[in-house]
Amino acid sequence: NTIACDGDGGSVRRASCFFPRFPTGMSLIPRAAPAASMAFAGRDPAVISLLKMLPLLLLLTFSSAAAPPAAASPSAVHNNNWAVLVCTSRFWFNYRHMANTLSLYRTVKRLGIPDERIILMLADDMACNPRNNYPAQVFNNENHQLNLYGDNVEVDYRGYEVTVENFLRVLTGRHESAVPRSKRLLSDEGSHILLYMTGHGGDEFLKFQDNEELQSHDLADAVKQMKEKHRFKELLIMVDTCQAATLFSQLQSPGVLAIGSSMKGENSYSHHLDSDIGVSVVDRFTFHTLAFFEKLNMYSNASLNSLFNSYDPSMLLSTAYYRMDLYKRALNEVMERYIYF
Amino acid sequence: MMMPPSTARRLCFLSLLLLLLLLAAAASATADAAAAEEFTEELLLRPLPDRKALAHFHFRSSAPPASAAGRHHHLFPKAISQLVQKFHISELELSFTQGRWNYEQWGGYDPMSTNNAKPPGVELWAIFDLPLAEIDATWKNLTHTLSGLFCASINFLESSTAFSAPRWGFKLNEGNLRYGALPREAVCTENLTPWLKLLPCRDKAGIASLLYRPSVYKGYYHSQKLKLKSSQSLGIILDQTLTVVLQPNTVSGKQLHSTGGQLQPSWSMEHLFSKKLSGKCLVSKSSRVFVEIEKGIVDNVDKAGSDVSSNNDLFVLSTAPDRSLKELDNLEVQSSSLYEYDVNNYNSDKPLNVGITWKLPLIWSCTRAPYHASRFLMGSGNERGSIAMSFLSTGLDKQLVDSSNDCSIKAVVFQVVPWYVKVYYHSLEVFIDGNSKAISEVVDKIHVTPSEDKLLPGTMEMLLKFPCSMQLATLTLDFDKGFLHIDEYPPDANQGFDIPSALVSFPEFNSSRSYPEADPLFVSPLLENFKEDGVVKSYTEVLLVPLTTPDFSMPYNVITFTCTVLALYFGSLLNALRRRIGEEERGLKKAALVRELQFALLQSQSQMLRWSTIYFFCWI
């Protein structure tokens, strides 16, 4: 029964796998764990945990280099921020999803997260699309005041690379060895991560490129792996699709906040149509989120509670949903820690 | 033995002095090494015959050879030197292109079109300094690193189905060259951002500050290229070029001249880029702007009788140039003219805005390659088709040719075809001026690497010999369309699949332009590149092949249908095996009876209990 370590690409059983994470990034849980837990789903959990504990106990008793076994350190200090921004739609008529993601990208950069800490995934090219009358420019408002594309945009995953597989690899950090650092989410236990996804979705799924789906249990599983590997301290997931709240139904990991643009059975609507470009340029939920953030700067002290309170169902034409039960702190205490230090 | 104190002191002093001298020497050595890194920036502007303007940006960074592995750079981008070291690259070229170079209007013979006309999408080739067995693995890692560095999906070139190893069709090599192209890769601001970050002044100062993104991406053709040459003797030389063809949208261009013809549009740098040049990049060794007036215009000026200065009867340049250079070809006849502006003389108070104003309507043409090569698809349906390549004579050869019968013009064709377009190389047919010719008459040398399903693309390198008097030649190749696995289809599979551009080069024609410079100290890298001996090359079009696409909803349909059938089958089976008709009702009746009896028993028990307690109390 060979147990493999995450991240080292091999199937070598190493004693250090069972010890707490060193700065090199080896995980505490061996790679076989998620699959094994699913295979044993029907059996008695106590027996399973005992079986899993046995090799661990044996190794602990026999190995000499015993580093102090510590569980997830609850007192990990927040020391860095990451943002993973995903646009999952392709084709020109989904311009607004690209504009949504780029608006968040611009906001997040303006409020202090540098490009090195942002993973931007855009499923299609709108700015230099032959149908775009304004080359190298993407607007989220028909007044064309703000060019979201700017001069300094860096897209990490483009076009056909935006797939469910790559998305899950980014979240869990399980890449091939050749993948460069700029395409990896190099977060640790002190990271606050903002995960923003937009596109077309439905009951318990989100559509990627009209081709495949990300299901709610896939997302929950990835977040669970992230928690087990200490890849975040707090995670804020924002999803702007139809029936977005259903995507969070399977989440169980502590420290996760989830905001969705609509409840089950509701659609999320676009905000307005730009007759010059010819398509809708922004979605309502993202428009109001941006309206909130545009009033802030790096030194503001706004809390997430005020963000939630700013969502008006009559303006959104849907009920914004937020899931706070996995989050331990009171929301009015949470300063916008996802955006700045 | 104790030395007398005075000699000890002298010795101490001498050793200190020696130490200081050594340190100074070392410092000067490192200072020399660091100071020898150079950066030059240049911009070349040229009016094109079809009312457009060409702008060519050229940035060169060079780093001297270093003996130690880790060293400090102050101008040269560290990312590139690490790339060269890690992957043992001796030559590399990476280009991002959008649009098609219009060989008919913009020329095909001069060094600008030969070096800067690139196929659409991404093209990457590299020569490695490694044993042949390690090159494929290194190529894979290189593609991933470049995809992270330039925000493009260059990592799709990693699999063996995407790249090929030509031996002589592309560039003569001993098997350590790898070539790959992605025709459908989008090129946008995110590719330019990291490219500009390799320059010492980025896009904040110097010539790169002119790059207003909407102007660049509004062009008819834009191609950014990174060319790298590394050797032990010369160190690393990095050439970054950006070639843009723009349409100046000025009022004067639409006016009719008094003579009845339409004037060419007058444009300036401000019209093209919405900005003026306000100074050079301070760390650059030289910063220059050139305006090139082609031979066609110069001939017209000569015919009009005036001298080709910056202000003549046909056109006038808005700013007087610092210098003017004339091209000398083999016959010592002057062809093109080059006007040079040194950006050192300009600053933010006096910005440089080079422009050209036309006085008389003028039509001219650029020199073209001997044959205009184009490629197209024949056939219909989703089973088979043909690739046809045509060579149309442009009349250039007439000038260079004697009318003897054994005159011939050589052409080298290099083509890579993906595995799902299964080419039958035996079906190659050649037609010269409409007549079918035997292959041996036309094809001198041919090297084919046939495709393998899901493993290798098909590579073809051919040396053709055309008679000089030929007008049109056509080559055709038949192919079958293959089937892809459902996972291998891209999300927009109904668009079709691309066959990358083929490269056609004419080894007997040399494309170089020599502008002899007065000052031997200021060697301009742009003009140096022009002087280099290069063969005339042109790229054909990218072909779009529609393949059969399956109904992608079929897996879902099959699963749903099968599960329904199985559920119905097993449900009925279990029903038939386990269900007894009427047994349920009987069981229910029995249960009802039992319940009644129990109830009656309970009632009687409770009654007995009541009477017994009453008797007991009575008794008490």
Side-chain angles (χ1 to χ4, degrees):
Chain A
N1 188 20
T2 54
I3 303 176
C5 260
D6 265 315
D8 64 11
S11 52
V12 172
R13 183 193 233 150
R14 284 196 206 162
S16 52
C17 287
F18 296 96
F19 289 105
R21 199 174 70 81
F22 292 104
T24 50
M26 292 205 221
S27 70
L28 185 61
I29 308 297
R31 184 196 274 158
S37 63
M38 291 215 248
F40 289 134
R43 305 204 198 163
D44 186 11
V47 177
I48 307 313
S49 48
L50 196 63
L51 279 172
K52 279 197 238 172
M53 289 304 284
L54 261 172
L56 180 65
L57 286 167
L58 281 168
L59 236 74
L60 279 172
T61 50
F62 285 113
S63 65
S64 50
S73 42
S75 56
V77 175
H78 164 217
N79 52 23
N80 59 71
N81 295 316
W82 281 84
V84 180
L85 308 170
V86 184
C87 165
T88 59
S89 302
R90 161 172 287 277
F91 304 124
W92 176 247
F93 52 81
N94 290 320
Y95 182 101
R96 62 186 186 282
H97 296 142
M98 197 73 58
N100 288 349
T101 317
L102 287 169
S103 313
L104 255 290
Y105 173 73
R106 180 189 165 269
T107 303
V108 145
K109 262 178 96 160
R110 180 176 70 85
L111 292 174
I113 303 189
D115 270 316
E116 291 80 46
R117 297 285 171 87
I118 301 177
I119 305 244
L120 181 60
M121 301 173 76
L122 297 180
D124 201 357
D125 173 44
M126 297 299 169
C128 293
N129 196 308
R131 284 166 146 161
N132 192 359
N133 232 350
Y134 298 89
Q137 289 161 298
V138 175
F139 303 112
N140 67 351
N141 201 315
E142 62 176 347
N143 58 24
H144 293 186
Q145 292 282 354
L146 192 59
N147 172 16
L148 297 172
Y149 225 58
D151 282 349
N152 257 333
V153 60
E154 284 186 20
V155 182
D156 298 300
Y157 286 86
R158 274 215 306 191
Y160 297 139
E161 286 183 289
V162 179
T163 56
V164 174
E165 185 196 335
N166 280 342
F167 173 68
L168 293 176
R169 280 185 186 277
V170 164
L171 284 188
T172 54
R174 290 157 69 162
H175 295 280
E176 283 187 358
S177 52
V179 172
R181 286 175 66 88
S182 63
K183 286 172 138 180
R184 294 182 192 229
L185 180 63
L186 301 166
S187 56
D188 54 24
E189 65 261 6
S191 303
H192 283 185
I193 305 182
L194 166 69
L195 171 60
Y196 175 83
M197 304 205 291
T198 181
H200 289 289
D203 197 356
E204 310 251 344
F205 72 90
L206 194 140
K207 194 164 70 157
F208 264 68
Q209 296 219 39
D210 225 13
N211 198 11
E212 16 170 37
E213 292 165 359
L214 173 77
Q215 308 214 348
S216 56
H217 57 80
D218 289 328
L219 181 64
D221 192 44
V223 171
K224 186 164 169 233
Q225 283 192 47
M226 283 175 85
K227 193 69 199 175
E228 287 172 351
K229 290 165 79 162
H230 306 299
R231 279 167 72 74
F232 66 91
K233 181 166 182 281
E234 287 170 18
L235 174 65
L236 170 62
I237 310 182
M238 284 176 81
V239 176
D240 187 355
T241 67
C242 301
Q243 306 190 52
T246 55
L247 203 65
F248 313 132
S249 58
Q250 310 282 335
L251 285 174
Q252 286 166 350
S253 318
V256 177
L257 258 177
I259 306 177
S261 62
S262 49
M263 305 284 295
K264 182 175 157 110
E266 285 180 352
N267 288 334
S268 289
Y269 294 97
S270 65
H271 192 261
H272 64 269
L273 169 77
D274 181 338
S275 15
D276 204 355
I277 294 183
V279 283
S280 302
V281 286
V282 70
D283 277 335
R284 286 179 181 259
F285 175 75
T286 309
F287 182 83
H288 288 101
T289 309
L290 284 173
F292 178 82
F293 278 112
E294 284 294 311
K295 296 185 209 129
L296 300 181
N297 59 33
M298 266 204 278
Y299 309 101
S300 303
N301 258 350
S303 70
L304 270 177
N305 225 359
S306 45
L307 174 64
F308 295 154
N309 292 337
S310 75
Y311 290 135
D312 180 5
S314 61
M315 298 296 285
L316 287 179
L317 300 181
S318 60
T319 318
Y321 163 83
Y322 30 96
R323 190 172 167 176
M324 305 178 299
D325 54 310
L326 299 166
Y327 196 69
K328 297 206 180 43
R329 284 190 291 163
L331 277 170
N332 51 12
E333 285 173 14
V334 179
M335 304 308 180
E336 297 296 327
R337 286 224 171 86
Y338 294 93
I339 308 298
Y340 57 94
F341 287 104
Chain B
M1 258 91 55
M2 289 295 290
M3 284 189 285
S6 60
T7 25
R9 232 179 278 136
R10 215 176 292 144
L11 267 171
C12 218
F13 176 70
L14 278 170
S15 59
L16 263 172
L17 194 62
L18 200 62
L19 191 66
L20 275 168
L21 278 170
L22 276 170
L23 278 170
S28 67
T30 51
D32 275 345
E37 278 184 13
E38 277 173 16
F39 172 71
T40 50
E41 49 177 21
E42 277 139 338
L43 168 61
L44 183 127
L45 298 165
R46 184 204 280 182
L48 291 173
D50 59 348
R51 316 176 60 72
K52 298 186 174 70
L54 172 87
H56 175 78
F57 295 78
H58 182 104
F59 304 99
R60 176 177 282 195
S61 304
S62 60
S67 48
R71 56 176 167 171
H72 292 289
H73 295 287
H74 79 287
L75 285 183
F76 196 81
K78 189 167 184 165
I80 299 295
S81 72
Q82 280 182 335
L83 199 84
V84 170
Q85 255 178 2
K86 185 169 177 198
F87 299 119
H88 303 274
I89 296 173
S90 54
E91 240 185 286
L92 179 142
E93 192 177 291
L94 171 61
S95 69
F96 297 83
T97 311
Q98 190 93 342
R100 197 180 75 88
W101 182 266
N102 190 342
Y103 289 101
E104 295 102 313
Q105 295 280 352
W106 306 341
Y109 197 84
D110 59 300
M112 178 72 69
S113 33
T114 301
N115 295 333
N116 298 300
K118 288 279 159 197
V122 164
E123 192 203 46
L124 171 67
W125 62 265
I127 297 184
F128 297 93
D129 189 15
L130 284 172
L132 294 180
E134 294 173 29
I135 291 183
D136 282 344
T138 318
W139 168 266
K140 174 181 168 168
N141 290 333
L142 175 68
T143 54
H144 275 278
T145 311
L146 287 173
S147 101
L149 191 54
F150 288 104
C151 299
S153 323
I154 302 176
N155 49 320
F156 287 154
L157 288 176
E158 64 169 343
S159 66
S160 57
T161 54
F163 66 88
S164 64
R167 295 304 293 262
W168 48 267
F170 184 73
K171 216 171 147 66
L172 195 58
N173 66 89
E174 307 103 35
N176 52 359
L177 172 105
R178 294 291 181 271
Y179 174 91
L182 289 171
R184 212 187 279 189
E185 187 68 18
V187 181
C188 207
T189 314
E190 66 260 22
N191 304 115
L192 191 60
T193 307
W195 188 90
L196 285 172
K197 286 189 179 164
L198 298 176
L199 302 172
C201 285
R202 314 266 202 259
D203 59 342
K204 306 287 180 220
I207 289 179
S209 63
L210 284 175
L211 289 171
Y212 180 54
R213 311 292 189 265
S215 294
V216 171
Y217 292 103
K218 207 188 278 212
Y220 283 78
Y221 172 87
H222 63 86
S223 167
Q224 76 188 59
K225 195 172 74 153
L226 187 114
K227 190 165 160 64
L228 190 55
K229 244 194 219 158
S230 154
S231 62
Q232 291 292 1
S233 50
L234 290 170
I236 311 178
I237 299 178
L238 172 67
D239 272 337
Q240 289 174 251
T241 62
L242 176 64
T243 312
V244 192
V245 173
L246 299 163
Q247 170 105 64
N249 195 8
T250 55
V251 177
S252 64
K254 299 195 171 63
Q255 288 167 346
L256 284 178
H257 191 253
S258 51
T259 57
Q262 193 172 28
L263 271 180
Q264 291 272 336
S266 306
W267 49 262
S268 68
M269 267 163 38
E270 201 172 358
H271 279 126
L272 297 180
F273 303 111
S274 313
K275 286 183 214 179
K276 299 185 198 175
L277 191 50
S278 52
K280 69 172 205 166
C281 171
L282 293 172
V283 290
S284 66
K285 185 170 163 214
S286 79
S287 175
R288 281 181 273 195
V289 175
F290 298 102
V291 176
E292 191 176 22
I293 303 295
E294 284 270 284
K295 178 177 193 301
I297 307 175
V298 168
D299 285 347
N300 273 304
V301 172
D302 280 342
K303 254 188 267 175
S306 65
D307 181 33
V308 188
S309 67
S310 67
N311 188 346
N312 56 46
D313 288 339
L314 283 182
F315 66 84
V316 58
L317 294 177
S318 60
T319 325
D322 297 321
R323 249 191 316 169
S324 88
L325 301 160
K326 300 189 197 313
E327 183 207 349
L328 296 173
D329 61 5
N330 303 341
L331 309 169
E332 297 288 321
V333 168
Q334 190 232 308
S335 327
S336 320
S337 269
L338 200 63
Y339 300 99
E340 185 186 312
Y341 299 81
D342 192 353
V343 187
N344 227 345
N345 306 334
Y346 299 89
N347 49 34
S348 45
D349 298 322
K350 190 179 84 159
L352 174 61
N353 185 15
V354 177
I356 186 166
T357 313
W358 298 93
K359 294 186 192 165
L360 290 173
L362 181 61
I363 298 178
W364 77 97
S365 61
C366 297
T367 328
R368 298 168 61 181
Y371 293 107
H372 173 65
S374 75
R375 202 172 58 156
F376 50 93
L377 280 176
M378 301 200 304
S380 67
N382 278 339
E383 241 187 287
R384 60 183 72 90
S386 293
I387 300 177
M389 204 178 295
S390 77
F391 297 85
L392 183 62
S393 168
T394 58
L396 175 77
D397 43 335
K398 300 265 183 309
Q399 306 160 14
L400 310 150
V401 133
D402 49 354
S403 54
S404 60
N405 260 349
D406 55 349
C407 154
S408 66
I409 298 183
K410 286 198 204 147
V412 176
V413 174
F414 165 59
Q415 183 170 249
V416 180
V417 175
W419 66 264
Y420 38 82
V421 174
K422 299 180 210 199
V423 175
Y424 293 109
Y425 293 103
H426 73 276
S427 64
L428 175 66
E429 284 182 4
V430 184
F431 299 88
I432 293 194
D433 290 328
N435 304 319
S436 169
K437 298 274 181 205
I439 302 294
S440 48
E441 271 181 51
V442 182
V443 178
D444 239 14
K445 197 160 78 150
I446 179 165
H447 175 79
V448 162
T449 311
S451 61
E452 280 178 49
D453 270 10
K454 301 188 211 274
L455 280 180
L456 279 183
T459 313
M460 180 172 80
E461 302 165 73
M462 266 197 309
L463 174 62
L464 302 162
K465 250 200 193 135
F466 296 126
C468 296
S469 53
M470 176 192 88
Q471 285 294 108
L472 171 68
T474 317
L475 275 80
T476 58
L477 274 174
D478 293 337
F479 64 86
D480 268 359
K481 297 187 187 179
F483 285 112
L484 291 170
H485 190 257
I486 191 167
D487 292 338
E488 292 167 356
Y489 284 95
D492 51 353
N494 290 300
Q495 186 178 5
F497 294 78
D498 299 296
I499 302 182
S501 296
L503 174 67
V504 176
S505 46
F506 303 97
E508 292 157 333
F509 293 84
N510 192 346
S511 97
S512 70
R513 232 173 229 198
S514 122
Y515 288 100
E517 288 195 81
D519 195 347
L521 287 173
F522 278 129
V523 178
S524 150
L526 182 72
L527 301 182
E528 213 181 281
N529 278 355
F530 276 12
K531 265 185 234 176
E532 256 177 36
D533 280 336
V535 295
V536 171
K537 344 192 246 262
S538 58
Y539 282 94
T540 63
E541 296 87 342
V542 170
L543 295 175
L544 189 63
V545 177
L547 292 184
T548 25
T549 49
D551 180 356
F552 292 105
S553 65
M554 274 318 282
Y556 168 77
N557 293 344
V558 167
I559 292 171
T560 317
F561 189 67
T562 317
C563 289
T564 309
V565 166
L566 284 172
L568 285 174
Y569 171 70
F570 278 109
S572 325
L573 190 69
L574 283 169
N575 233 4
L577 290 174
R578 288 293 303 147
R579 193 175 179 190
R580 300 275 184 268
I581 306 168
E583 182 168 320
E584 219 176 289
E585 283 133 9
R586 266 180 267 138
L588 274 173
K589 263 195 234 160
K590 216 194 211 171
L593 262 171
V594 168
R595 249 182 297 155
E596 270 181 40
L597 273 170
Q598 281 182 336
F599 185 62
L601 201 64
L602 257 171
Q603 273 208 317
S604 55
Q605 276 183 342
S606 62
Q607 263 196 333
M608 269 179 35
L609 203 63
R610 229 178 285 144
W611 285 117
S612 61
T613 48
I614 289 174
Y615 281 142
F616 182 66
F617 280 120
C618 280
W619 191 73
I620 292 176

